[in-house]
Amino acid sequence: FTSHKTGTSIWRSNFDGSNQRDITSGLVERARQAHWCSNGKLVVMAYRNKGDTEAGIGIMDLDKNSFTSIYSEPISGAVPGWPKWSPDCSKIALEKYVGNWEIFEMNSDGSNLINRSNNPAIDQQPVWISNSQLGFISDRANPNQTPLELDLYLNDNGITTNLTDAPGRELDPTVSSDGKYIVFTRFRFFLDPSQLYMVKLTEAKDLSKWIQLTSDGANRYPSFRPKPNP
């Protein structure tokens, strides 16, 4: 998890919350947005390097206590981030600013950087649905609208379609390990508290199929439990 106990860094703990320790500040500055590879050995994160001149994506090998930068660029006001492993851990998706926010993918060593969204709209928060399918949030249905409207989209081998089409903002998407369900945050109306919803991917356009999971307070950043090992 990301913590500000020692600057901005990634911390690790046991399942019961014990033995909490900083695993990145000795290697890299201001690490955040950790995401485990499904083999349990690697984590990828947005970071800033020592000297505060570069920002990008790197991989930490917990067994070797090492950090390897696989993509970086000079520090600007828009730092690449939201890195996510593909299910087979061969690729990494990220959001990157190139005059507007776009969804990119690259190989796990940082090679073959490809723009997957390629649209003048805001495209952010990638999530892998399968090894070839990427979900993300975008305002492309209602660009430049105030307040901002965001829907969920799917890019399947270069073809983009919208998953949701409802008033308000859907964001923070997470997909179940079997690729059948998506859970997300929804701001129904401007300034309303955010709530969590779940729906089958094949029924995401049907608002009547959405299952509201929370109702009290404001809730964000949902996560599915990974499929247990056999």
Side-chain angles (χ1 to χ4, degrees):
F1 58 95
T2 301
S3 175
H4 298 285
K5 300 175 186 177
T6 50
T8 302
S9 55
I10 303 300
W11 282 55
R12 185 182 181 183
S13 74
N14 296 340
F15 288 115
D16 62 359
S18 62
N19 193 25
Q20 295 187 11
R21 64 271 194 200
D22 180 345
I23 61 172
T24 60
S25 64
L27 301 170
V28 68
E29 253 183 290
R30 287 191 277 281
R32 54 192 173 88
Q33 299 177 350
H35 188 229
W36 288 100
C37 181
S38 60
N39 65 17
K41 293 183 179 180
L42 299 174
V43 65
V44 60
M45 64 202 75
Y47 79 100
R48 292 189 176 189
N49 69 346
K50 299 289 186 182
D52 226 15
T53 58
E54 295 282 319
I57 307 299
I59 296 175
M60 183 160 184
D61 186 327
L62 297 176
D63 293 331
K64 297 179 181 179
N65 192 35
S66 65
F67 180 89
T68 302
S69 172
I70 61 169
Y71 174 78
S72 64
E73 58 188 46
I75 289 288
S76 68
V79 177
W82 210 266
K84 298 293 180 183
W85 286 105
S86 62
D88 65 1
C89 295
S90 66
K91 297 179 180 179
I92 295 166
L94 65 148
E95 59 182 38
K96 171 176 160 59
Y97 193 78
V98 287
N100 60 294
W101 285 104
E102 298 279 11
I103 304 300
F104 284 77
E105 72 168 45
M106 59 186 171
N107 295 334
S108 59
D109 62 359
S111 64
N112 198 28
L113 186 68
I114 298 171
N115 187 338
R116 285 287 299 265
S117 53
N118 198 22
N119 190 280
I122 296 171
D123 300 317
Q124 289 184 292
Q125 295 189 341
V127 58
W128 290 94
I129 296 171
S130 70
N131 289 317
S132 62
Q133 297 175 312
L134 270 171
F136 58 94
I137 67 170
S138 180
D139 72 338
R140 62 181 65 190
N142 297 284
N144 304 315
Q145 183 167 320
T146 303
L148 184 66
E149 291 243 356
L150 293 167
D151 295 307
L152 304 181
Y153 284 78
L154 169 68
N155 182 279
D156 187 353
N157 287 314
I159 299 174
T160 298
T161 56
N162 63 319
L163 288 172
T164 63
D165 183 15
R169 286 176 285 167
E170 293 86 60
L171 61 165
D172 310 330
T174 302
V175 177
S176 59
S177 58
D178 60 8
K180 293 181 178 180
Y181 290 86
I182 189 165
V183 62
F184 53 92
T185 302
R186 184 191 186 197
F187 290 85
R188 187 175 180 185
F189 300 109
F190 185 58
L191 298 181
D192 269 12
S194 55
Q195 303 300 338
L196 305 184
Y197 288 77
M198 182 176 69
V199 68
K200 283 185 177 181
L201 279 164
T202 55
E203 300 175 339
K205 279 190 179 180
D206 187 348
L207 196 60
S208 69
K209 301 291 187 180
W210 292 14
I211 301 169
Q212 186 170 343
L213 302 176
T214 62
S215 57
D216 296 330
N219 305 277
R220 284 197 65 179
Y221 305 113
S223 179
F224 275 103
R225 178 183 177 181
K227 184 179 180 180
N229 292 325

